[in-house]
């Protein structure tokens, strides 16, 4: 299906940058990527902090074996601030640097600093960084005995700095508070921390801009069934049977909502927002859990789950109110940790001896409609007609996106924050460049595309049934008829199915079947109206054998003259095989001709072979560097989908597909997607293009397809080896009708003849002895290439054949 014939000139440029793209109630896109706007490469060992006033910090040490200051790198929302921490300053927390009221503080145990000595038994708890110099805060001192057998954690927010001391052996904890008004540490909490199985002992206090979460089962002598939190009005205890101390608690790094979740299959997410409790179920695979607990920002929950072999890492994202996780998959065996704060969600990627910080790009929603502009005013009104069930292309700096139109001609997709150009394969109305208006509501954008009204009749047919056929199977043949021109009352079609197959069911649009030929009519064809025609066949074990060639042909026409009648018929031949993997990727052109720049059509089939419904299916296809991503066309799919192309990865996401298990329903267990793409350059002898896809059923490990290979074979008729045979191979008669003979003088073995279209598309193969008659009755008039292989020695020749 030729949906995107040409990429039209830029219609509109959307600048989707900066804070205007904060996701809000919307979610990060399922195809999101970690990129490096705050790019920072640090040496040796990183440390990090979540919370505070949006602080995200990392630590880099001097080269091994050398002395020098420790450097702290602090992300301030737009760039990195780098400060030097004094030598021999013994800090008592892995994240002792905090930002409060736009000032940087350091918690340490040094008794003397810049000439100021602590009292006996005291230590300076805070140093303040000002204009490159660290100053002591004389009032912020605590007894050194407090730190014996205690694990410390610093967090900060708009209300001040909080020091949490966890005394593991005493089953107790203390919380101290510092603010600019008091200028000293004051104990505000004495209690008992939770002891869950999946949180380390230091993760009992979390910061949001206006709220501090305390995951404690006792606070100031009062027991809690849930948690406590601190805001500007004081300390609050939450006693609710929906919460308990065995849950994994987190606070939203942006808005202060408190989340609780058990790490188990099908957990319940519980959200506390100013006494309002929200609850919803989700499905979570916890088999490969890690110590990097969940993180929340702006209502988006994210956590990390590696595969057992650590070669794939899933960053699972749960959006507000959803019941299914979205998955971002990264490859690599390096240790990766997630951190979130007011500025975003960050990834720390360890690559010894260095580490790199990445950020997860936020998404924005784009919606709109595509319609025939009947009155040519570029304003959608009752005179206009929607274009349905088609794909439009959205091209950006970082990749491409594809949106599917629904029954009302409307589309909806998530975008990465970059500049986009909206395009469509159909000519836009002449006033589109000056009168198209984009509207914006919050973080959602709306864009309508008025399409120019066609003035000619034109019908086109498409066939994507080039995947392998399994012997004794029941494949579904699907064909498409598209009205590319003016509306038509009706169109007639015929589908010829190979007589070796048996037709066992048909769509309603097929009126009758005679001698394995289906007849039917399509009524009321609108502008760019796409109709699907299908029938199911049985590869009869009595009439077909493995390696049999079966062919089918589709023809459709209108009852009025058409602008182009060459696209009204199409056919294809395939070989029957005994068995194959139902999760496969195939290509329509396996043999390519040199000197050409062909368009390849790929089909990815998938089948649920598990024991339960597959709710979501995701396909990840890393395309060869020989393919041109600007030429991608999404042609067809079995179910509604969203798609994107980023960093050479073409992804398809089928949400709520509910694919049945194969053992329950063979037909409803299957799905597919079809796309086409051009090669980057002309193909030369010896060139090949190899691709495979990863298919994810829910949160399971990927099913990896076998390679789909297209190649330009080298000429094996070496002149020194057999100089005469290639020249002596003959086809006769030529031109031919119905049958052709193949003659190879001096060769007595078997041959295989492959018949190809002029652009390299394989139609069918036949095997036999040289000199015998080969049946070509299924070929229509035209020019073809025949590849004659000598099976005994591997030599082959390629000849032209003209069919009358």
């Amino acid at each position: 299906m030729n949906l995107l014939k040409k990429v039209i000139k830029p219609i509109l440029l959307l600048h989707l940058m900066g804070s205007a793209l904060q996701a809000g109630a919307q979610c990060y896109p399922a195809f999101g990527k970690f990129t490096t706007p705050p790019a920072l490469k640090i040496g040796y060992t990183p440390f990090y902090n979540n919370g505070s006033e949006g602080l995200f910090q990392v630590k880099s040490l001097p080269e091994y074996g050398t002395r020098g200051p420790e450097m702290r790198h602090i992300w301030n929302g737009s760039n990195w601030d780098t400060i030097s921490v004094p030598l021999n300053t013994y800090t008592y927390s892995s994240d002792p640097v905090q930002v409060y009221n736009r000032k940087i503080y350091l918690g340490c145990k040094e008794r003397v600093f810049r000439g100021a000595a602590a009292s006996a038994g005291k230590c300076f708890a805070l140093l303040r960084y000002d204009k490159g110099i660290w100053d002591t805060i004389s009032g912020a001192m605590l007894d050194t005995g407090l730190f014996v057998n205690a694990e410390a954690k610093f967090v900060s927010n708009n209300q001040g700095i909080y020091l949490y001391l966890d005394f593991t052996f005493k089953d107790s904890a203390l919380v101290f508070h510092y603010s600019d008004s008091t200028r000293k540490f004051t104990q505000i909490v004495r209690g008992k921390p939770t002891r869950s199985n999946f949180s380390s002992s230091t993760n009992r206090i979390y910061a949001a801009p206006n709220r501090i979460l305390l995951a404690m089962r006792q606070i100031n002598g009062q027991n809690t069934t849930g948690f406590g939190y601190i805001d500007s009005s004081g300390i609050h205890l939450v006693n609710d049977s929906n919460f308990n101390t065995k849950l994994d608690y987190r606070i939203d790094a942006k808005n202060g909502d408190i989340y609780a979740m058990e790490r188990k299959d099908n957990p319940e997410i519980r959200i506390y927002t100013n006494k309002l409790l929200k609850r919803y179920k989700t499905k979570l695979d916890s088999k490969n859990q890690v110590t990097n607990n969940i993180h929340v920002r702006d209502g988006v929950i994210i956590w990390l789950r590696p595969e057992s072999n650590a070669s794939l890492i899933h960053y699972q994202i749960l959006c507000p109110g959803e019941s299914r996780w979205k998955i971002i998959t990264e490859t690599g065996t390096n240790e990766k940790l997630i951190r979130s704060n007011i500025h975003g969600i960050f990834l720390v990627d360890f690559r010894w001896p260095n580490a790199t910080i990445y950020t997860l790009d936020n998404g924005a929603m784009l919606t709109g409609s595509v319609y025939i502009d009947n009155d040519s005013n570029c304003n959608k009104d009752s005179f206009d007609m929607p274009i349905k069930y088609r794909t439009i292309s959205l091209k950006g700096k970082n990749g491409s996106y594809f949106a599917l139109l629904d029954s009302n001609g409307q589309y909806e997709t998530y975008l990465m924050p970059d500049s986009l150009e909206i395009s469509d394969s159909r000519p836009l109305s002449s006033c589109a460049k000056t009168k198209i208006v984009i509207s914006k509501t919050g973080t959602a954008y709306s864009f309508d595309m008025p399409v120019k009204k066609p003035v000619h009749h034109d019908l086109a047919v498409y066939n994507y049934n080039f995947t392998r056929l399994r012997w004794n199977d029941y494949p579904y043949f699907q064909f498409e008829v598209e009205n590319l021109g003016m509306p038509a009352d009706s169109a007639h079609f015929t589908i010829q199915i190979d007589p070796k197959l048996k037709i066992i069911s048909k769509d309603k649009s097929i009126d009758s079947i005679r001698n394995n030929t289906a007849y039917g009519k399509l009524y009321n064809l609108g502008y760019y109206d796409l109709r699907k025609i299908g029938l199911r066949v049985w590869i009869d074990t009595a009439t077909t054998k493995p390696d049999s060639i079966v062919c089918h042909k589709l023809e459709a026409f209108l009852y009025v003259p058409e602008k182009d009648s060459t696209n009204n018929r199409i056919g294809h031949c395939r070989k029957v095989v005994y068995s194959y993997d139902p999760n496969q990727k195939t290509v329509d052109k396996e043999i390519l001709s040199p000197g050409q720049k062909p368009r390849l059509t790929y089909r990815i089939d998938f089948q649920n072979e598990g024991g339960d419904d597959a709710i979501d299916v995701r396909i990840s296809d890393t395309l060869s560097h020989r393919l041109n991503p600007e030429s991608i066309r999404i042609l067809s799919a079995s179910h509604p989908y969203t798609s994107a192309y980023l960093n050479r990865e073409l992804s398809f996401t089928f949400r709520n597909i509910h694919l049945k298990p194969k053992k329950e329903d063979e037909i409803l267990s299957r799905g597919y997607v079809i796309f086409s793409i051009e090669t980057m350059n002309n193909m030369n002898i010896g060139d090949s293009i190899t691709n495979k896809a990863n298919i994810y059923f829910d949160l399971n490990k990927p099913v990896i397809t076998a390679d789909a290979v297209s190649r330009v074979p080298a000429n094996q008729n070496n002149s020194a080896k057999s100089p005469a045979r290639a020249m002596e191979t003959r086809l006769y008669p030529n031109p031919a009708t119905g049958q052709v003979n193949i003659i190879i003088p001096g060769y007595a073995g078997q041959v295989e003849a492959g018949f190809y279209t002029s652009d390299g598309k394989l139609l069918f193969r036949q095997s036999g002895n040289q000199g015998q008659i080969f049946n070509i009755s299924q070929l229509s008039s035209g020019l073809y290439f025949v590849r004659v292989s000598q099976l005994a020695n591997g030599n082959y020749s390629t000849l032209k054949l003209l069919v009358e």
Side-chain angles (χ1 to χ4, degrees):
M1 180 172 52
N2 191 2
L3 291 182
L4 299 173
K5 294 181 178 177
K6 292 182 180 180
V7 177
I8 63 174
K9 294 181 179 180
I11 301 169
L12 187 64
L13 197 63
L14 295 180
H15 295 284
L16 307 179
M17 306 294 288
S19 60
L21 277 190
Q22 297 302 315
Q26 300 159 16
C27 197
Y28 297 90
F31 45 79
K33 288 290 183 183
F34 283 99
T35 57
T36 56
L40 175 69
K41 292 188 177 181
I42 58 176
Y44 199 54
T45 306
F47 286 87
Y48 31 81
N49 172 316
N50 91 1
S52 6
E53 288 184 334
L55 167 66
F56 181 90
Q57 60 160 309
V58 294
K59 176 175 77 172
S60 57
L61 300 178
E63 292 294 331
Y64 184 76
T66 64
R67 289 181 59 82
E70 169 193 311
M71 307 304 293
R72 288 278 172 164
H73 311 278
I74 300 174
W75 178 249
N76 61 24
S78 58
N79 51 58
W80 291 97
D81 292 329
T82 300
I83 61 174
S84 175
V85 176
L87 280 172
N88 302 322
T89 300
Y90 177 35
T91 59
Y92 51 78
S93 175
S94 62
D95 45 9
V97 177
Q98 293 295 310
V99 175
Y100 161 56
N101 202 14
R102 300 186 178 181
K103 296 183 181 67
I104 299 173
Y105 292 82
L106 172 68
C108 66
K109 288 186 180 180
E110 278 299 300
R111 291 170 178 259
V112 179
F113 195 78
R114 292 191 65 214
S119 305
K122 297 286 187 180
C123 76
F124 289 112
L126 284 182
L127 303 178
R128 185 169 54 201
Y129 187 78
D130 184 26
K131 298 179 181 179
I133 299 175
W134 289 98
D135 286 324
T136 60
I137 302 176
S138 59
M141 292 186 293
L142 295 170
D143 291 332
T144 54
L146 285 175
F147 300 98
V148 178
N149 295 324
E151 294 189 50
K153 184 175 178 65
F154 256 154
V155 297
S156 61
N157 68 358
N158 297 340
Q159 311 299 321
I161 298 175
Y162 297 83
L163 171 62
Y164 178 92
L165 297 178
D166 187 340
F167 303 93
T168 305
F169 299 104
K170 297 181 180 180
D171 192 25
S172 64
L174 300 176
V175 179
F176 296 85
H177 176 244
Y178 170 90
S179 69
D180 283 343
S181 60
T182 62
R183 295 187 59 81
K184 66 178 182 179
F185 266 121
T186 304
Q187 179 183 311
I188 58 174
V189 172
R190 176 183 294 273
K192 295 182 178 181
T194 59
R195 299 297 180 202
S196 62
N197 295 326
F198 41 75
S199 292
S200 66
S201 60
T202 57
N203 290 337
R204 310 297 183 204
I205 184 169
Y206 307 94
N210 296 298
R211 180 181 285 183
I212 297 291
L213 167 64
L214 299 173
M216 302 176 69
R217 68 183 191 274
Q218 187 185 86
I219 296 176
N220 292 340
Q222 298 185 55
N223 294 329
T224 67
T225 57
F227 54 88
Y229 66 92
I230 305 170
D231 59 19
S232 58
S233 63
I235 302 172
H236 309 270
L237 276 67
V238 175
N239 290 294
D240 192 314
S241 58
N242 291 299
F243 293 97
N244 61 73
T245 56
K246 295 182 180 180
L247 297 175
D248 190 4
Y249 288 95
R250 277 295 186 274
I251 192 167
D252 193 308
K254 187 174 182 181
N255 61 34
D257 292 350
I258 295 172
Y259 286 68
M261 184 181 77
E262 289 183 85
R263 186 167 298 175
K264 64 177 184 179
D265 293 340
N266 304 315
E268 183 179 75
I269 307 295
R270 301 166 186 173
I271 309 174
Y272 181 90
T273 306
N274 296 330
K275 299 184 180 181
L276 174 63
L277 180 65
K278 304 176 185 177
R279 304 171 62 181
Y280 56 92
K281 286 279 190 180
T282 184
K283 186 174 182 180
L284 175 66
D285 181 3
S286 60
K287 294 178 182 178
N288 294 315
Q289 55 185 294
V290 295
T291 57
N292 184 212
N293 299 323
I294 63 170
H295 294 270
V296 186
R297 179 187 178 272
D298 214 6
V300 178
I301 305 173
I302 183 169
W303 77 297
L304 177 150
R305 182 181 72 89
E307 295 291 354
S308 57
N309 61 7
S311 62
L312 286 175
I313 297 176
H314 298 317
Y315 300 98
Q316 299 179 5
I317 293 177
L318 186 67
C319 302
E322 294 190 2
S323 61
R324 300 292 300 176
W325 292 85
K326 298 183 178 183
I327 302 174
I328 298 176
T329 300
E330 297 284 334
T331 59
T333 58
N334 303 292
E335 185 178 1
K336 299 182 179 181
L337 296 176
I338 296 293
R339 286 296 180 266
S340 58
N341 62 41
I342 193 173
H343 298 299
I345 294 178
F346 294 84
L347 171 69
V348 185
D349 186 359
F350 294 88
R351 295 178 184 270
W352 185 264
N354 296 313
T356 304
I357 309 300
Y358 298 90
T359 184
L360 179 65
D361 285 331
N362 289 349
M365 180 177 285
L366 178 66
T367 60
S369 60
V370 183
Y371 59 92
I372 297 295
D373 191 25
N374 272 322
D375 46 12
S376 301
N377 63 1
C378 286
N379 293 318
K380 188 178 179 183
D381 49 42
S382 59
F383 297 100
D384 301 324
M385 299 180 61
I387 296 177
K388 307 175 182 179
Y389 308 119
R390 314 319 308 273
T391 300
I392 60 172
S393 174
L394 309 144
K395 297 190 179 296
K397 292 188 305 183
N398 296 326
S400 302
Y401 313 91
F402 304 92
L404 189 66
L405 302 177
D406 64 14
S407 59
N408 296 314
Q410 297 177 342
Y411 67 92
E412 176 181 293
T413 188
Y414 283 103
L415 307 172
M416 301 293 284
D418 59 4
S419 300
L420 295 175
E421 133 193 354
I422 315 299
S423 61
D424 187 62
S425 61
R426 302 151 198 85
L428 291 186
S429 184
S430 57
C431 58
K433 291 184 179 180
T434 57
K435 291 191 176 181
I436 290 183
V437 177
I438 234 181
S439 61
K440 179 176 179 292
T441 304
T443 59
Y445 293 81
S446 177
F447 177 80
D448 292 334
M449 281 184 278
V451 175
K452 187 177 180 179
K453 180 169 57 176
V455 295
H456 301 283
H457 288 288
D458 192 13
L459 202 65
V461 297
Y462 310 104
N463 163 48
Y464 305 124
N465 301 295
F466 55 80
T467 187
R468 298 180 182 91
L469 293 178
R470 184 171 57 193
W471 188 56
N472 196 25
D473 199 5
Y474 298 85
Y476 183 76
F477 286 178
Q478 180 171 292
F479 306 89
E480 294 179 353
V481 177
E482 181 182 15
N483 184 27
L484 298 174
M486 298 171 59
D489 292 335
S490 61
H492 176 78
F493 68 85
T494 60
I495 303 174
Q496 297 180 20
I497 300 297
D498 195 293
K500 293 190 289 295
L501 306 180
K502 289 187 177 181
I503 300 174
I504 59 175
S505 64
K506 63 181 181 65
D507 287 353
K508 294 180 180 179
S509 57
I510 297 175
D511 297 326
S512 61
I513 297 175
R514 299 189 299 274
N515 299 323
N516 254 34
T517 299
Y519 301 87
K521 282 187 178 181
L522 303 172
Y523 297 95
N524 300 320
L525 294 168
Y527 294 111
Y528 298 103
D529 198 350
L530 181 69
R531 304 291 181 89
K532 297 181 185 293
I533 308 168
L535 46 82
R536 191 168 298 280
V537 303
W538 176 37
I539 304 183
D540 191 348
T541 56
T543 56
T544 59
K545 299 296 180 184
D547 295 333
S548 299
I549 303 296
V550 296
C551 303
H552 50 256
K553 185 185 298 183
L554 168 66
E555 183 175 5
F557 57 88
L558 298 171
Y559 296 98
V560 294
E562 296 186 39
K563 179 182 178 181
D564 180 10
S565 60
T566 62
N567 55 0
N568 287 48
R569 60 185 61 85
I570 194 170
H572 198 77
C573 295
R574 291 182 292 170
K575 180 185 288 188
V576 176
V577 297
Y578 183 75
S579 64
Y580 66 89
D581 189 338
N583 297 289
Q584 61 171 347
K585 181 178 181 180
T586 51
V587 62
D588 66 330
K589 300 182 182 71
E590 296 177 342
I591 303 297
L592 306 177
S593 300
Q596 294 185 354
K597 191 177 179 180
R599 173 170 285 276
L600 305 178
T601 301
Y602 289 98
R603 174 174 176 138
I604 302 173
D605 290 274
F606 52 89
Q607 184 173 33
N608 178 15
E609 297 184 289
D612 194 6
D613 286 9
I615 309 300
D616 299 332
V617 175
R618 180 177 179 270
I619 296 174
S620 172
D621 191 343
T622 302
L623 299 180
S624 166
H625 68 279
R626 293 185 182 273
L627 300 174
N628 179 13
E630 296 297 322
S631 66
I632 295 175
R633 300 174 188 166
I634 312 299
L635 303 179
S636 183
S638 57
H639 301 77
Y641 64 91
T642 59
S643 179
Y645 177 83
L646 299 169
N647 302 323
R648 301 215 66 83
E649 180 193 27
L650 179 62
S651 64
F652 300 90
T653 302
F654 299 87
R655 296 295 306 275
N656 296 316
I657 187 174
H658 288 275
L659 212 61
K660 290 294 181 183
K662 175 182 176 180
K663 63 184 181 181
E664 290 185 14
D665 194 310
E666 173 74 21
I667 296 174
L668 296 181
S669 68
R670 299 182 181 184
Y672 70 87
V673 64
I674 301 170
F675 67 93
S676 71
I677 186 171
E678 290 181 351
T679 58
M680 187 69 74
N681 301 300
N682 291 340
M683 301 296 291
N684 299 314
I685 292 176
D687 287 348
S688 64
I689 298 174
T690 301
N691 269 108
K692 59 186 174 184
N694 293 317
I695 305 171
Y696 297 86
F697 295 92
D698 292 327
L699 302 179
N700 296 308
K701 294 182 180 180
V703 177
I704 304 175
T705 69
D707 291 333
V709 182
S710 299
R711 60 190 178 93
V712 182
N715 191 344
Q716 300 178 22
N717 292 296
N718 188 293
S719 58
K721 183 177 179 180
S722 53
R725 287 183 179 172
M727 297 181 61
E728 293 175 355
T729 301
R730 293 189 298 115
L731 301 176
Y732 76 90
N734 194 359
T737 302
Q739 61 186 30
V740 67
N741 293 75
I742 298 177
I743 298 296
I744 309 176
Y747 175 74
Q750 281 201 328
V751 300
E752 181 182 76
F755 294 83
Y756 297 84
T757 61
S758 58
D759 63 351
K761 182 178 181 180
L762 175 64
L763 298 178
F764 62 93
R765 293 189 180 98
Q766 292 186 34
S767 299
N769 296 318
Q770 70 91 15
Q772 83 173 48
I773 296 174
F774 288 79
N775 183 6
I776 58 170
S777 59
Q778 63 265 48
L779 296 181
S780 57
S781 299
L783 179 65
Y784 299 88
F785 288 94
V786 183
R787 183 179 185 270
V788 180
S789 300
Q790 301 172 24
L791 300 181
N793 56 32
N795 292 334
Y796 71 89
S797 302
T798 302
L799 303 95
K800 293 182 179 180
L801 173 65
L802 182 62
V803 177
E804 293 184 329

